[in-house]
Structures are given as C-alpha cells and as structure tokens.
Amino acid sequence: MAVDAVDSVSQTHDPVVTTPYGAVRGRYEDGIAVFRGIPYAAPPFGARRFWPPVPPEPWDGVRDAGEFGPTPPKPPYSEAFARLLADPVVPGDDCLNLNVWTPEPGPGVRLPVMVWIHGGALTRGSSAVPVYDGHAFARDGVVLVSINYRLGVEGYGLFPDAPPNAGLRDQLAALEWVRESIARFGGDPDRVTVFGESAGAISIGALLASPRARGLFRRAVLQSGPPEVSERDKVRRMVRRMATRLKVPATARAFAAVDRALLLRTQADVARLSSPVLGGPAFGIVVDGDLVPRDPMEALVAGGAGGAGGAPDVELLLGWTSEEYRLWLAPGGLLERVDRLGPVALAGAMARCRCGHEVPRGYRAIHPRAGTAELVGQMVTDHLLRVPLHRLADARPPLTPSYVYEFAWPSNVPGLGACHALELGFVFDTVEVPQAAQLAGPGAPQELADAMHAAWVRFAVEGDPGWQAWDASHPVRIFGAGAPHTAFGPRDRELALWDAESGRPGAPLSSPESAPSPRPRRPRRVMAVRPSSWPPLPRRAGGGRSRP
C-alpha cells in the first residue's frame, strides 16, 4: 500500500507509506504528516564500519517512524559553544536515517522537495536539531527531507584500507533514496532542491561537481560554505595523531576495533586547536578519483565565466552572513585576545590566507575604524567564503541563473553580531523555538523569518527567490534590519583586493582554499582506482547495483 486506506484528509489515523524496504508509520502534527528515523542505509558498524553505505535490510509489517532515529557518533561541543548551538544525541547504531515532512502523503501529488544537509564542521550536528524542524516548509507546500550522515573520523577519516569520503557517500545514498521513494510521500523526484549550511553547503558543492550525483537534484542552496576539498595530508595528520594517542596503526581495521566512546574522546582532543580562523589539521572531503574526481571548484568553474562548467543545469542560491567570524571567535573570548595581539594577529591572518601586506592594508583603508579582530575576521571570512562564492557565481552559464544573498541581522546575544549559522532559524521559520534563541537571543523578528523562509520556498518552487539574478552588477539581497533590499556590489572593494593579490608575483594559487582568482587552475590528476579490498557494490531493491 502507498498510503493508509483511512481518510487522510480527516487525519484521524496515523499516515502509513510504503518505501522500497518496508512500510513506515508517521504522525500527523498540526496538519502535517511527519515521518522520522526512516533508514536509507544499513547501520554502518560491525563489518560495515568505515565502508560505503549499503541498502537497509527490508522489514516486515509497519515500522514506527514517530521519533528521530539514532544520531551518528560525535563528540559534544565545548561548553562555550554548547550554550549557543543545540546538538541532541539519540543513541543507537541505525544512524543512517532521514525524516520527511509532507502536507499530503501519497503518490500523484508531485510537490517540490527540499533536502536539508546539516552543518557542524563534518564532526557535529544531526537532523534532530530542533531548529531544523520541517513543519513550515510542508505548511507552504514543500516536502522537506532532512538526513543524517557519518561524521568525523567515522565519515571522513582517510585510511589506506578503506575508501574515503564515507559521509559524502552517505549523502549520495540518501539522495538516491529520495529519487526512488519520495513520490510515495507526495514529492516530485524531478523537482528536488538540496540546501545546506557550512559543512552541509561544502558537501553540496562536492555533490554539484560529482558525476555520480548528476540528475539527483535540480536546484541547490549553499549557505556559508563554498565548494572545496581538504588537503589529503591535513586529514591524514588527524588520523595519525589519533592513532598515536590510541597506540594503534592508522588503519580502518585498527580504528574499527577501538571502543567508540574512546575514539570520540580522542578525536575531540586532537581537533581542539583546529578552527576556520586558525586552520590546522581537520576532517574534510578529499579528492578520491571516484565520487570526487577533482577539486569541485575547478570542476564548477571549468571553461571560465560563461562557460559550461560543472552542473550547468542546476540553479544556485548562494550566500553568507555579514559577520561569519564572530561565531568562530566570540564564544571562546578570542575577539578580545585578537584585538590585544594587534599586528601579531594580522600576521597570523596573512599566513592563514596566504596573502601579502597589501590585503590587510586595503582592509584597513576601507574600514579605518575597525579593530584588529574585525579586520582579521573579515579577511578570513572573505578568503574562505565570499571570494570562492563570488567566483562560483561569476562562472555560472548565462542561461542558468544564480542568486546571492547576505544575512545582516545582528543577534541579540552580545558579541555575536550577524554570525555564522544565525540565519538558520529564519530560513526554517523556527525563530520561536528555544534552541534558535540560544544563538539569536530573545525577540528575533518574525517578519524577517517570514521574508527569508518565503524566498527559500519560492526558489524551490520556481527557481527564483524574488530578486535580480547575478550578473556583472553583482546584486546581493540583504536580509537585515528593516525590509529586505538589493544592494549592488556591497563587497566589491574588499574582494578586489583578492583579485589583485592573485596576480601578485609569487602569490600561491595551488591550494584550493587560497585560489580566489576567477581563472580556472589546471585540474589535478587523480587515478580512479578501486582497490580489490573494497567490498563488492551491493544490489538495491529492484535490481541494479548501488553506488558506494
């Protein structure tokens, strides 16, 4: 059966939908059918640990889908960040699961679909965060799907005896589930929009450029995260440092034998000094010659501005917050420390951004009253986020529109300003939930949430969020105090400094993090090798082989 035979309009009974692996029973909540914890892949533990996802085992009868499923293993946030960011833990092994909010569960409805990929530096977060509740999207005629995927060393460890990017492969498997199953929940598999923030947006950048994900989504939203890959050596160093502390070989087989709680504690210890501002070893997506055959940014800007590039038929919505860096610096008291360090902090920012003296001098000239922390923060924000997102928007085909926004409303929590992740409660129209107030403070403007949420819905439905598409005039929609408005080139003076820097003799262009130039770099060559030790590709329901 596709839907419970009981009258779904009266909503007197729980909704039941049959997936390719078995039937699931959800709940009606305020007129919306909600299904939580649906497995899209088998538990990634035991013999499957560190390996690509495989389909779940089919089940008999009707599986209850009333509660969030288990969350992937992850260390807790530090005390300073835990006060601002909710990150619930649901115990259990069956953590490769997803949730669906739908206004009308049943085949033939064909509503637009949005798939949410959460952020958290690829080490934290889950679909169970209350801010990500999908009710408002379903209320407005969109089927909302949110997913879990493996994190940290479980999802992004780099080992000689296992394929890389397991967490990204989980995301691909979830999107394949959506392609196969979402019509049964009232969604249209041909009108899928993926959206994500921070690490979620970075993941979408990799999927945009991946031939393996082609055709799985029509539109994409990248919030505060550009297409990028990590240097393989940085990820290896994380694994090796963990192996040294654990006194085991740096192999998947050895790590799989370590107690899960000990592995998480060790991961948290070795990652303590890594941050977007400080840099250092960190888990991340790497070029693997398979799912990620080349640097995603290189693939997406191939051919230069106006060229075909990668994913030429996918419409994009891109953006950032005005003061991303404040979430990275304010909670631990680093804002004040950076201001005290003065020139030493600026020198550190130059090293982090691999730039010469002209860049901080230019920022000082543009912002003469800014303190050192603000200058450092804006430099790093531009280097990591705005420069590559500008570059991506510039390179899109002229017949495939892109739209750019900036979230500028300052938090009512002292010191946070318009920081990283603050826009999430506004996008989901969940500013009233207590967990959103942890970051936004009391009294977040509902009218701003109404406007921003409506723009995301309109983009998913029509491909146009309601303002001018990106062109040579650089239109940016500003969501801040007062009514949203469009500014033209609001960051152009700062970003011009990076254009000049990219042309400086001896300026490094080899790192994917430090390549703001709109000119595409030479693609790196990676052999697409599938070691014989990898498991055979499993068969999905209905025949054919799944993608690992």
Side-chain angles (χ1 to χ4, degrees):
M1 61 183 171
V3 180
D4 197 335
V6 178
D7 181 6
S8 62
V9 176
S10 67
Q11 299 172 2
T12 55
H13 288 68
D14 293 334
V16 175
V17 173
T18 299
T19 78
Y21 307 103
V24 291
R25 176 180 287 109
R27 304 287 188 274
Y28 278 111
E29 300 176 4
D30 297 325
I32 300 300
V34 185
F35 302 80
R36 297 182 174 93
I38 303 173
Y40 67 83
F45 299 106
R48 303 186 187 99
R49 200 167 181 192
F50 299 109
W51 296 101
V54 299
E57 290 293 326
W59 58 87
D60 296 323
V62 180
R63 182 182 181 122
D64 186 71
E67 304 293 335
F68 285 113
T71 51
K74 55 188 174 177
Y77 281 115
S78 68
E79 182 180 349
F81 281 94
R83 289 196 295 266
L84 302 172
L85 302 171
D87 197 11
V89 172
V90 181
D93 285 354
D94 207 358
C95 61
L96 298 186
N97 59 69
L98 52 77
N99 320 294
V100 180
W101 284 260
T102 176
E104 193 169 347
V109 184
R110 313 280 299 183
L111 295 171
V113 179
M114 297 186 74
V115 179
W116 172 246
I117 303 178
H118 69 81
L122 298 177
T123 58
R124 295 176 175 87
S126 77
S127 65
V129 173
V131 176
Y132 306 152
D133 184 276
H135 182 275
F137 281 104
R139 175 200 67 199
D140 294 333
V142 172
V143 177
L144 192 283
V145 179
S146 61
I147 69 172
N148 286 336
Y149 57 94
R150 278 173 284 181
L151 303 168
V153 71
E154 301 276 0
Y156 297 93
L158 193 54
F159 300 102
D161 56 338
N165 297 324
L168 190 67
R169 296 173 192 274
D170 295 342
Q171 296 172 19
L172 181 70
L175 288 170
E176 290 176 335
W177 184 97
V178 169
R179 164 63 65 177
E180 296 168 358
S181 308
I182 204 61
R184 304 164 191 250
F185 293 82
D188 185 347
D190 294 322
R191 286 200 293 166
V192 173
T193 298
V194 290
F195 69 129
E197 186 266 347
S198 192
I202 292 170
S203 300
I204 291 171
L207 293 169
L208 269 171
S210 175
R212 300 273 299 281
R214 197 159 294 149
L216 293 177
F217 50 89
R218 181 173 173 181
R219 300 182 178 110
V221 184
L222 281 70
Q223 301 172 212
S224 301
E228 67 176 27
V229 287
S230 296
E231 298 173 16
R232 295 176 71 91
D233 187 57
K234 281 189 174 183
V235 181
R236 282 197 191 98
R237 292 208 307 270
M238 285 289 286
V239 173
R240 288 169 181 163
R241 288 180 181 183
M242 291 182 66
T244 298
R245 294 197 179 207
L246 293 167
K247 298 180 180 179
V248 300
T251 64
R253 182 176 181 178
F255 273 50
V258 175
D259 174 76
R260 205 179 302 174
L262 175 59
L263 201 64
L264 287 177
R265 290 196 300 271
T266 306
Q267 176 184 304
D269 286 343
V270 301
R272 200 174 303 279
L273 296 180
S274 296
S275 79
V277 175
L278 300 173
F283 291 109
I285 298 165
V286 297
V287 172
D288 58 19
D290 173 27
L291 180 58
V292 187
R294 62 185 292 198
D295 182 308
M297 181 64 83
E298 292 176 351
L300 291 169
V301 304
D313 55 344
V314 178
E315 297 152 339
L316 299 184
L317 174 58
L318 317 166
W320 49 76
T321 72
S322 296
E323 299 170 292
E324 301 269 4
Y325 65 93
R326 287 187 173 271
L327 184 64
W328 307 329
L329 295 179
L334 284 176
L335 281 172
E336 295 78 8
R337 291 173 60 187
V338 170
D339 273 334
R340 288 197 302 270
L341 288 170
V344 175
L346 277 175
M350 289 169 55
R352 175 75 177 98
C353 299
R354 305 184 185 183
C355 66
H357 291 279
E358 291 306 314
V359 171
R361 287 173 185 163
Y363 275 80
R364 178 69 73 187
I366 296 170
H367 305 283
R369 297 183 180 179
T372 301
E374 182 179 349
L375 291 179
V376 166
Q378 292 293 6
M379 278 179 57
V380 173
T381 297
D382 288 346
H383 168 70
L384 294 178
L385 297 176
R386 296 191 185 111
V387 167
L389 289 175
H390 262 246
R391 184 180 177 220
L392 177 58
D394 282 340
R396 300 300 292 161
L399 297 181
T400 308
S402 297
Y403 301 87
V404 177
Y405 75 90
E406 178 170 319
F407 182 83
W409 181 79
S411 171
N412 287 322
V413 176
L416 287 185
C419 69
H420 191 68
L422 181 58
E423 87 282 8
L424 293 173
F426 296 84
V427 168
F428 278 86
D429 192 10
T430 53
V431 292
E432 79 287 350
V433 306
Q435 292 80 4
Q438 289 178 234
L439 199 61
Q446 181 60 49
E447 61 273 15
L448 181 57
D450 293 341
M452 201 166 192
H453 173 75
W456 264 239
V457 169
R458 179 170 166 172
F459 180 71
V461 174
E462 303 176 12
D464 175 359
W467 63 88
Q468 181 178 330
W470 187 260
D471 59 20
S473 66
H474 292 180
V476 177
R477 192 68 163 176
I478 308 296
F479 292 93
H485 64 280
T486 301
F488 293 88
R491 301 283 176 177
D492 281 4
R493 288 194 299 166
E494 291 92 340
L495 300 183
L497 298 170
W498 298 98
D499 288 337
E501 175 67 16
S502 67
R504 176 175 60 86
L509 290 177
S510 57
S511 168
E513 284 187 348
S514 58
S517 170
R519 296 170 297 184
R521 292 167 288 154
R522 179 179 302 172
R524 68 184 74 179
R525 296 183 179 272
V526 178
M527 295 296 291
V529 176
R530 192 175 195 280
S532 59
S533 59
W534 293 13
L537 302 186
R539 291 188 178 275
R540 282 197 176 272
R545 292 191 182 274
S546 68
R547 300 166 179 172

